[in-house]
Amino acid sequence: MPGLKIPQEQLPTLERIRTISSNSLQAFISALQKSPEDVPAIPELTQDEAERLKNAVTELYSVRSYFDVDVPAFVADVADALQEQLHVNRLDDFKDRLAALLTIDSINLSVKAMSLKAEYERTFCSARILTDIRPIYSNDISGPPPAAMIVHTLRISYHDDSSRVNEIYVALDNDDVSALREILDRAELKAKSLEKFLAGTKVRLIASGESR
């Protein structure tokens, strides 16, 4: 990855990897191994600093995965970029530290899950239901409508494979809303059943929030 440039806002965080004590770094790595979602405050790092460091490390995992570069080569590229942009020397220790941060299995799995989720042609973004009264006129349209019906419009926003947000609108009646609710309830029950099954195995269940 020749010419790798580290975003300016990430430079202080990566420099922190270089300057933090070995004990604090190991405590940080251990915390990520146990719970990649919630990183507690550890010696030398406040909780906010630890969260920023976790986010920066996760971004490095994503970049390495995207370019399909092995850890030693990627670490060397990051170190070269850091040396060029911050004009620091003696980065051998930094390389060892970064390599340790980039071989945390819990984060690696979360990043892979995020990558797999992004491979779908469309991924859900948000939804909203708009409800209207639609008048029904008789042949004489000059008078008030003698009837009306209630129509729901389901608006689904989704990301396409280029990450653009698109929308689709679907008309629903009350029966459709009931059917949709049953389908969602059934999906939730199936998910809980699978969660219970996985709890009895050694397979780690990655929560949806981890892969965002």
Side-chain angles (χ1 to χ4, degrees):
M1 295 175 57
L4 175 67
K5 291 292 183 182
I6 299 170
Q8 288 294 323
E9 63 271 17
Q10 297 286 19
L11 287 174
T13 302
L14 292 181
E15 174 67 359
R16 200 76 178 96
I17 296 173
R18 192 176 71 88
T19 59
I20 195 173
S21 71
S22 297
N23 288 339
S24 292
L25 181 67
Q26 187 55 52
F28 177 72
I29 292 173
S30 296
L32 287 180
Q33 288 171 334
K34 293 177 181 177
S35 177
E37 306 91 19
D38 303 311
V39 179
I42 58 175
E44 294 187 57
L45 290 176
T46 66
Q47 190 161 0
D48 285 344
E49 289 174 328
E51 188 67 29
R52 286 197 297 271
L53 183 54
K54 184 201 80 168
N55 291 338
V57 170
T58 301
E59 183 64 25
L60 289 175
Y61 273 82
S62 298
V63 173
R64 188 185 75 81
S65 176
Y66 179 81
F67 287 102
D68 194 23
V69 182
D70 62 28
V71 171
F74 184 68
V75 165
D77 289 333
V78 173
D80 288 345
L82 189 67
Q83 187 172 34
E84 179 181 339
Q85 292 176 253
L86 290 182
H87 307 291
V88 294
N89 296 312
R90 301 176 62 183
L91 289 178
D92 289 342
D93 185 53
F94 170 78
K95 292 179 183 180
D96 292 339
R97 290 167 171 240
L98 187 57
L101 284 166
L102 289 174
T103 51
I104 300 173
D105 194 49
S106 60
I107 297 183
N108 188 42
L109 291 174
S110 295
V111 171
K112 285 185 176 181
M114 181 171 60
S115 177
L116 287 172
K117 186 175 180 181
E119 288 184 4
Y120 286 95
E121 184 179 358
R122 300 179 183 87
T123 55
F124 179 80
C125 178
S126 63
R128 184 181 180 185
I129 291 183
L130 310 173
T131 303
D132 301 293
I133 296 176
R134 301 296 298 270
I136 301 174
Y137 289 91
S138 62
N139 291 333
D140 181 11
I141 61 173
S142 62
M149 66 181 195
I150 296 175
V151 176
H152 308 281
T153 302
L154 172 61
R155 185 189 71 192
I156 299 176
S157 301
Y158 64 90
H159 296 284
D160 63 18
D161 53 7
S162 62
S163 296
R164 291 175 301 185
V165 177
N166 297 276
E167 295 178 340
I168 184 172
Y169 293 82
V170 181
L172 307 170
D173 61 21
N174 286 340
D175 289 339
D176 297 328
V177 171
S178 296
L180 184 59
R181 183 182 294 110
E182 289 180 8
I183 291 170
L184 293 174
D185 288 344
R186 180 174 171 80
E188 194 171 50
L189 287 172
K190 288 192 290 186
K192 289 180 179 178
S193 175
L194 290 173
E195 288 173 4
K196 185 177 180 180
F197 167 75
L198 290 174
T201 71
K202 294 183 179 180
V203 177
R204 174 188 162 200
L205 176 64
I206 297 180
S208 58
E210 287 184 63
S211 56
R212 288 176 185 171

